[in-house]
């Protein structure tokens, strides 16, 4: 009996790196449905419309401040943004159901430079195929959902970002990085 438990433990330890690696992937969305368009306010009160970002890959992350995996992945999203912004990839973090004060307090502890948008009534998140928070989608330059990630990720992992960067080759209508005025 002891030997059997030891074998299970060893097997679990051997598979742990494989599980961690699998969790760091993006799941292709085979049907590539059109991403539901939205217009949401950012932290500065500016309207941001998803359709205005067509022609470039867009990472759309649905999150909340009370969600531990959301909080954990936010620093790596900032590092990813620093890498992706000059490459013409947009990143939008859609806060689901919270008020501005909660989000402003959160950004005091987790400063980010990419756009944080407010889906206060949950109508936008309800239009997307979300399965818990965080859920992140990668929208291709034609506005279709190409990838999905359910749960937290280390977004600055080069292997995770590679499929996103490869989407840039689908459309060459963008030739400049996303600037602060595009946020």
């Amino acid at each position: 009996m002891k030997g059997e438990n030891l074998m299970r433990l060893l097997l679990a330890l051997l598979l742990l790196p494989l599980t961690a690696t699998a969790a760091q992937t993006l799941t292709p969305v085979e049907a590539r449905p059109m991403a539901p368009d939205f217009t949401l306010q950012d932290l500065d009160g500016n309207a941001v419309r998803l359709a205005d970002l067509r022609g470039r890959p867009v990472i759309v992350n649905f999150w909340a401040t009370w969600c531990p995996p959301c909080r954990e992945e936010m620093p790596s999203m900032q590092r990813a943004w620093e890498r992706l912004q000059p490459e013409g990839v947009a990143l939008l973090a859609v806060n689901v159901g919270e008020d501005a004060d909660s989000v402003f307090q959160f950004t005091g502890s987790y400063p980010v430079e990419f756009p944080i948008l407010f889906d206060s009534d949950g109508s936008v998140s309800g239009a997307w195929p979300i399965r818990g928070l965080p859920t992140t989608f990668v929208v291709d330059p034609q506005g279709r959902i190409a990838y999905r990630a359910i749960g937290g990720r280390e977004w600055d992992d080069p292997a995770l970002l590679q499929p996103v960067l490869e989407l840039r080759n689908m459309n060459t209508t963008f030739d400049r990085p996303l600037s602060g005025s595009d946020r």
Side-chain angles (χ1 to χ4, degrees):
M1 192 66 155
K2 275 187 178 180
E4 201 173 333
N5 287 339
L6 181 60
M7 288 298 285
R8 285 186 186 147
L9 177 62
L10 287 174
L11 182 60
L13 289 174
L14 286 172
L15 293 177
L16 189 59
L18 295 175
T19 305
T21 302
Q24 267 301 105
T25 61
L26 297 173
T27 303
V29 177
E30 295 303 326
R32 288 225 178 162
M34 289 301 293
D37 193 22
F38 59 77
T39 302
L40 293 171
Q41 300 283 315
D42 69 9
L43 289 170
D44 297 323
N46 300 314
V48 176
R49 183 173 178 223
L50 179 61
D52 291 344
L53 298 171
R54 285 252 173 94
R56 68 180 70 228
V58 182
I59 297 172
V60 181
N61 172 260
F62 290 91
W63 70 287
T65 64
W66 51 261
C67 161
C70 301
R71 297 172 74 92
E72 289 171 20
E73 76 177 356
M74 203 57 73
S76 72
M77 289 195 101
Q78 174 59 34
R79 292 188 301 272
W81 169 244
E82 292 166 7
R83 163 127 165 63
L84 295 171
Q85 182 183 18
E87 300 289 340
V89 177
L91 192 156
L92 305 173
V94 179
N95 179 271
V96 179
E98 294 185 286
D99 60 40
D101 289 340
S102 298
V103 176
F104 280 118
Q105 185 176 7
F106 174 83
T107 58
S109 300
Y110 296 86
V112 297
E113 297 172 9
F114 53 85
I116 293 181
L117 310 177
F118 293 98
D119 181 22
S120 301
D121 64 2
S123 61
V124 170
S125 58
W128 287 67
I130 294 173
R131 300 227 169 92
L133 297 177
T135 296
T136 305
F137 299 92
V138 179
V139 179
D140 71 20
Q142 287 77 34
R144 301 171 304 183
I145 299 173
Y147 297 100
R148 177 175 57 198
I150 300 171
R153 300 288 190 277
E154 286 296 322
W155 284 99
D156 56 341
D157 180 345
L160 190 65
L161 296 179
Q162 190 59 39
V164 177
L165 292 169
E166 288 173 2
L167 289 175
R168 295 174 306 163
N169 299 329
M170 292 182 63
N171 187 331
T172 57
T173 61
F174 64 92
D175 57 2
R176 61 182 174 78
L178 183 66
S179 68
S181 64
D182 291 328
R183 293 193 293 173

